[in-house]
Amino acid sequence: MKESIIVDTKNKKNTISRDIYGHFSEHLGHCIYGGFWVGKDSNIPNIHGYNKAVVQAFKELDIPNLRWPGGLFADEYHWKDGIGPKENRKRMVNTNWGGVTEDNSFGTHEFFGLCDELGCKPYICGNVGSGTVQEMDEWIEYMTFSGESPMSKLRAANGRKEPWKLDYFGVGNENWGGGGNMRPEFYADQYRRYQTFVRQYGENKIFKIAGGANVDDYNWTKVLMENAHWLMDGLSLHYYTYEYRWEEKKSATGFTKEGWYRIMRNAFRMDELIRRHSEIMDKYDPAKRVAMVVDEWGNWFAPKEGTNPGFLEQDNSVCDALVAGITLNIFNNHSDRVHVANLAQAVNVLQSPVLTQGDKIVLTPTWHVLHQYKGHQGATLLGTSAAYSYCGVNDVPDYNASLRGVSAKEDVIVPGLSVSASEKDADSKSGAKKQYLVTVANVDAETSKEIEISFAHLEGAIKSATATVVTGEKMDTINSFENGDAVTEKSLSVKIIDKQTVSINLGAYSVAAITVLA
Ligand code: AHR
């Protein structure tokens, strides 16, 4: 099957914010403890307590920012419990995630230390659901105030004289649900009040993020924008992909072809959600000053058998690679509004790029796609258009209808390709002027595709073209501790057809990254 993509090299859009490629680390299962943090006395190779291999894996992705401490955990977190001598730190119950005891040994100092090791921006989420305004006010003072004050003295007494640079601060999390079950009108007022005390001390400019909508709750976005848009820098959106019903999650592997297309359809839904929330934001903020911050996204499947269901552990397969490829293309293509995004979650939880087991580490198919796409960070988005066939399954039971007691059939049809493209100045040593990165996902479960990629209005001619592909033997092939390399980036052959066109043959369920120098 022949498909074609046109990359318009004259249609230069906005810069793709690096922060779209951000990650999320919650006190949940083994994301922090046993994931990023093993402790200084561990036998596992570590740098000041941080798992060395995990840090290295994220540095290789050029991780731009890390969100912490939640998630739902954030609205139960009291930061003063996580500072000072470890033996004095208060223990608490992590009510959201498995009811385990949280000993608070990883707190504010440890988080900033982790961001230093990773070389990324900190994104902290504050407690609105069960915390006070004073608590939030003091946390900001503790982290960012350089003069003499009660909180800066406390920070110094705990071993840190200089303030930290805090880039992003979220004023609560999912306040429509686990963060307080608030109505949008009430949260909008709470946001206005709490954010007042997120002070901008000295040079530190905190980017304030209001807690946004769940999936397609457009009214939430409307009310928040109407009542507080001038007081926020970003508004969040949470959307997880699953097979067909949130309440009845399916396993991360073993799905049918029909299941595959349902997951893909849900992944493409991100595009509609961003478009429709953006339309509302545009009404109040036509200049697009307020960023859309998709600070939780990814696949959410049933917990892996034999694990604590509260730890949200799941396998990561070729299917996750495709969902990552599609979603990141969507973010790139909407990067005029989407400036920050965080994959849920970084290590051992949901759609993780990295899994650990003691001193063992697995780089998942998702990690490999993030690696393929990292060249988009900070590059200029180019306009693309594509002519492709659709794929899917016909006449399958409609689950939504069956929930209403009706027996009906439906077609689950999705676009066969997902694409985005960007441009950067080429390395001067290459002799080329520009470097183009085109990322393409072939969503088809069965058919490989001959894809021609034309670089319209190209100045000069293509000098070289290389490509990688991420795929596996089957749609649900995973990387496991027994076989960590079942799904990795392999080189893919690219033909230069003429001075502005290349072509690739992309197998079913594959993600490709094509780099062209011209
Ligand atoms: O990422 C897991 C959870 O999903 C987060 O804690 C919460 O914000 C969301 O519901």
Side-chain angles (χ1 to χ4, degrees):
M1 200 173 285
K2 256 217 154 84
E3 321 273 323
S4 74
I5 295 169
I6 297 173
V7 178
D8 186 349
T9 62
K10 254 198 186 159
N11 187 2
K12 297 181 204 299
K13 299 184 174 225
N14 48 277
T15 300
I16 299 172
S17 160
R18 289 196 58 219
D19 287 311
I20 285 177
Y21 289 81
H23 292 275
F24 172 31
S25 56
E26 181 164 7
H27 286 237
L28 193 179
H30 296 299
C31 185
I32 295 289
Y33 302 109
F36 275 120
W37 180 250
V38 291
K40 292 177 187 153
D41 303 327
S42 170
N43 295 330
I44 299 170
N46 68 84
I47 323 160
H48 313 304
Y50 309 111
N51 184 320
K52 203 170 170 182
V54 174
V55 167
Q56 188 50 35
F58 281 96
K59 282 174 86 158
E60 273 179 52
L61 295 179
D62 292 345
I63 176 178
N65 70 74
L66 185 64
R67 181 173 183 247
W68 173 85
L72 292 175
F73 183 78
D75 277 292
E76 246 182 344
Y77 183 62
H78 300 285
W79 68 273
K80 282 188 183 163
D81 297 344
I83 55 169
K86 300 232 164 150
E87 59 281 9
N88 298 342
R89 293 191 190 179
K90 193 166 154 187
R91 291 170 164 253
M92 66 183 279
V93 185
N94 191 335
T95 51
N96 288 295
W97 306 120
V100 295
T101 302
E102 161 67 55
D103 68 2
N104 275 306
S105 54
F106 190 97
T108 305
H109 291 248
E110 290 76 18
F111 175 65
F112 278 101
L114 174 59
C115 292
D116 277 352
E117 287 305 331
L118 295 168
C120 76
K121 295 179 196 166
Y123 171 2
I124 287 188
C125 186
N127 181 348
V128 171
S130 71
T132 63
V133 172
Q134 182 183 357
E135 195 178 352
M136 191 176 284
D137 181 357
E138 289 183 340
W139 200 8
I140 298 294
E141 183 186 317
Y142 187 88
M143 294 186 280
T144 63
F145 186 64
S146 62
E148 195 182 312
S149 79
M151 290 304 114
S152 63
K153 276 187 177 164
L154 183 59
R155 184 183 68 228
N158 287 329
R160 172 86 189 191
K161 184 150 188 326
E162 295 306 317
W164 291 284
K165 165 129 183 52
L166 175 60
D167 292 273
Y168 293 109
F169 192 82
V171 180
N173 171 75
E174 297 194 348
N175 301 94
W176 39 261
N181 283 306
M182 302 176 194
R183 292 172 305 111
E185 292 77 9
F186 182 76
Y187 174 70
D189 283 345
Q190 291 295 309
Y191 175 77
R192 290 166 61 132
R193 178 169 174 237
Y194 276 72
Q195 71 76 37
T196 308
F197 303 92
V198 179
R199 307 274 187 208
Q200 308 284 8
Y201 291 117
E203 304 276 277
N204 195 100
K205 168 82 181 78
I206 299 172
F207 188 100
K208 298 181 194 179
I209 300 169
N214 183 29
V215 192
D216 56 358
D217 184 352
Y218 299 113
N219 183 50
W220 185 278
T221 298
K222 178 181 173 294
V223 174
L224 261 290
M225 289 301 286
E226 197 164 80
N227 292 293
H229 72 84
W230 61 96
L231 296 172
M232 61 176 84
D233 300 301
L235 178 62
S236 73
L237 169 67
H238 287 183
Y239 175 59
Y240 286 97
T241 319
Y242 48 91
E243 190 172 322
Y244 73 94
R245 223 162 83 80
W246 176 252
E247 297 77 8
E248 204 184 316
K249 297 197 185 71
K250 300 277 207 171
S251 162
T253 56
F255 42 78
T256 58
K257 193 163 71 162
E258 175 191 323
W260 166 269
Y261 283 117
R262 287 186 193 281
I263 297 166
M264 296 303 132
R265 180 170 68 181
N266 285 339
F268 277 110
R269 188 169 178 219
M270 181 67 90
D271 187 67
E272 177 196 325
L273 294 172
I274 293 175
R275 267 191 294 106
R276 294 188 60 185
H277 282 290
S278 293
E279 273 166 26
I280 298 164
M281 293 175 80
D282 284 350
K283 266 178 63 186
Y284 302 92
D285 173 36
K288 297 190 193 292
R289 186 194 62 79
V290 179
M292 188 182 292
V293 176
V294 190
D295 51 16
E296 290 189 28
W297 69 271
N299 278 330
W300 192 321
F301 295 121
K304 199 174 159 158
E305 251 182 52
T307 62
N308 182 333
F311 285 7
L312 308 185
E313 289 178 27
Q314 62 192 41
D315 281 324
N316 198 292
S317 80
V318 170
C319 171
D320 294 271
L322 266 287
V323 169
I326 293 168
T327 308
L328 293 168
N329 282 336
I330 293 171
F331 291 160
N332 287 343
N333 289 328
H334 285 288
S335 51
D336 58 338
R337 181 63 92 176
V338 179
H339 295 178
V340 185
N342 301 79
L343 172 60
Q345 296 195 6
V347 195
N348 296 326
V349 173
L350 299 174
Q351 192 181 338
S352 304
V354 173
L355 304 175
T356 64
Q357 199 176 73
D359 61 353
K360 293 195 211 127
I361 168 172
V362 165
L363 304 180
T364 67
T366 300
W367 185 92
H368 288 286
V369 169
L370 288 160
H371 194 254
Q372 285 182 304
Y373 279 55
K374 73 175 183 177
H376 284 308
Q377 292 186 26
T380 304
L381 176 71
L382 295 176
T384 48
S385 55
Y388 51 78
S389 42
Y390 279 68
C391 51
V393 283
N394 295 106
D395 256 0
V396 290
D398 178 339
Y399 290 111
N400 287 321
S402 71
L403 291 177
R404 300 191 305 271
V406 182
S407 156
K409 301 265 181 180
E410 67 164 345
D411 299 334
V412 185
I413 305 295
V414 295
L417 292 184
S418 147
V419 184
S420 71
S422 68
E423 173 198 279
K424 265 183 182 165
D425 287 339
D427 182 338
S428 55
K429 283 184 230 138
S430 68
K433 279 196 181 139
K434 296 288 176 196
Q435 175 171 316
Y436 298 97
L437 175 62
V438 185
T439 45
V440 187
N442 178 5
V443 181
D444 203 302
E446 287 159 316
T447 314
S448 65
K449 289 171 180 172
E450 277 293 327
I451 307 171
E452 228 172 62
I453 307 171
S454 302
F455 293 81
H457 306 117
L458 190 69
E459 275 181 38
I462 292 172
K463 284 186 183 305
S464 71
T466 52
T468 61
V469 62
V470 172
T471 190
E473 214 176 300
K474 295 194 283 167
M475 293 184 284
D476 64 349
T477 303
I478 62 167
N479 283 349
S480 62
F481 291 98
E482 293 69 44
N483 182 4
D485 290 330
V487 184
T488 55
E489 286 153 277
K490 307 231 164 46
S491 91
L492 177 73
S493 129
V494 201
K495 275 193 223 139
I496 300 184
I497 307 282
D498 60 34
K499 61 183 189 168
Q500 61 172 36
T501 313
V502 299
S503 85
I504 55 168
N505 185 301
L506 189 57
Y509 48 82
S510 302
V511 181
I514 303 103
T515 304
V516 163
L517 290 174

